Amino acid sequence: MSEGMTAGQRGDFVEALMPVAAGLAMAVREETPAEVKARLHELDRHELEAVAVVLAAMVDPDRPLIDALGWVDFDEHGEPLKGPQKSRRTVGSLARAQIVDRTQGVDWVAVERALNGERFQLNQHERTIGVDLGIRRGMSYDDVADRLGMTREAVQRSWDRSKKQARANGQYVPLQPVGQIAA
């Protein structure tokens, strides 16, 4: 959204676009692709960004995908679905899987060098990996934050998400960062 807006103006902007976002959600279910495309062409770039944020905020990440997309009764070829679809995947698990897929494009050398104290501009996925590696190697939250250009709180949140995902995948996770274990 526009950098020139105050937080209050951005909030008002998003609030004004909530009916547009809700209308788009209904249009996707009830209108033709051409009609949905026409609705989107009516919006400028800033409105599209705000609508995307509003729509994302409307989605419960713990909701099963089958429920979130329950209105879809056709496959990618337009053919009717055959039989009930069963899946335990959630919206959130799909988002986390995307992060795993994106690690193929991670600059591992830049992550390692950043953890060693060199200044590198890391993307979100590289920072997430850097937090996980740093904490597992015994670095404190403050050290990781300093080296990756993050706040201590952001490092803590990232580590909490990494722990939750690792436990869900059956991986070992230290109960607390190694660097903070009392002697």
Side-chain angles (χ1 to χ4, degrees), residues 44-154:
D44 68 27
R45 182 179 70 84
H46 299 293
E47 291 169 331
L48 281 170
E49 289 175 1
V51 166
V53 169
V54 171
L55 288 169
M58 290 179 175
V59 176
D60 176 6
D62 295 326
R63 185 174 186 194
L65 277 173
I66 195 73
D67 292 343
L69 297 173
W71 59 274
V72 177
D73 57 0
F74 52 87
D75 66 14
E76 67 272 18
H77 306 291
E79 299 295 320
L81 291 176
K82 297 170 182 74
Q85 302 295 313
K86 295 181 181 177
S87 174
R88 293 177 186 246
R89 294 180 69 188
T90 64
V91 173
S93 70
L94 183 62
R96 287 186 292 278
Q98 180 183 17
I99 290 172
V100 171
D101 291 344
R102 288 185 181 176
T103 60
Q104 293 176 358
V106 167
D107 185 344
W108 292 92
V109 173
V111 172
E112 288 292 342
R113 291 175 71 178
L115 287 172
N116 289 326
E118 295 182 51
R119 295 292 175 202
F120 277 90
Q121 187 68 29
L122 302 176
N123 66 35
Q124 175 186 353
H125 308 294
E126 290 165 339
R127 284 192 306 272
T128 299
I129 290 167
V131 167
D132 191 66
L133 289 174
I135 298 298
R136 286 178 182 270
R137 290 178 182 171
M139 295 173 69
S140 69
Y141 291 143
D142 293 323
D143 288 340
V144 172
D146 179 57
R147 299 211 179 151
L148 299 181
M150 300 169 67
T151 65
R152 182 181 206 283
E153 292 76 22

Side-chain angles (χ1 to χ4, degrees), residues 150-178:
M150 300 169 67
T151 65
R152 182 181 206 283
E153 292 76 22
V155 168
Q156 222 167 347
R157 284 191 306 271
S158 179
W159 174 239
D160 289 341
R161 283 191 302 271
S162 290
K163 285 191 302 189
K164 185 177 180 180
Q165 183 176 357
R167 286 185 180 128
N169 294 334
Q171 298 170 340
Y172 170 76
V173 179
L175 296 177
Q176 58 187 347
V178 178

